[in-house]
Amino acid sequence: MLELRPNCECCDRDLPPNASDARICSYECTFCATCTDNVLHGICPNCGGNLMPRPIRPPEKLVRHPASAKRVLKLEGCHQAV
Ligand SMILES: [Zn+2]
Ligand SMILES: [Zn+2]
């Protein structure tokens, strides 16, 4: 089950569970669409995998399986993978 992290690891903007612009890699590194497109160019800077749109969990499912509240942020900031 996905953690549904609450923020972008690059710019720390909020990405609620129903955000349509959240992107994740296979390890659930989580980024916003703006960082994914403009900074990361679709590649996760942590693991090198590709970033995909994060599925939206329906609200009734969030009651039983809440989204993660633990914010993850890259302290050194994000850079384009080389
Ligand atoms: Zn971002
Ligand atoms: Zn990753």
Side-chain angles (χ1 to χ4, degrees), residues 12-73:
D12 199 29
R13 64 168 267 199
D14 288 339
L15 293 170
N18 64 350
S20 59
D21 60 346
R23 302 288 182 267
I24 57 171
C25 77
S26 67
Y27 295 101
E28 293 193 60
C29 311
T30 303
F31 304 95
C32 71
T34 304
C35 290
T36 298
D37 292 343
N38 297 337
V39 181
L40 306 173
H41 301 287
I43 301 297
C44 175
N46 299 329
C47 67
N50 61 323
L51 293 165
M52 302 286 290
R54 185 176 70 183
I56 290 172
R57 185 173 301 168
E60 67 270 19
K61 297 293 190 294
L62 284 168
V63 175
R64 281 193 62 186
H65 303 292
S68 169
K70 183 167 171 280
R71 299 181 82 85
V72 177
L73 187 63

Side-chain angles (χ1 to χ4, degrees), residues 8 10-11 32 35:
C8 171
C10 287
C11 66
C32 71
C35 290

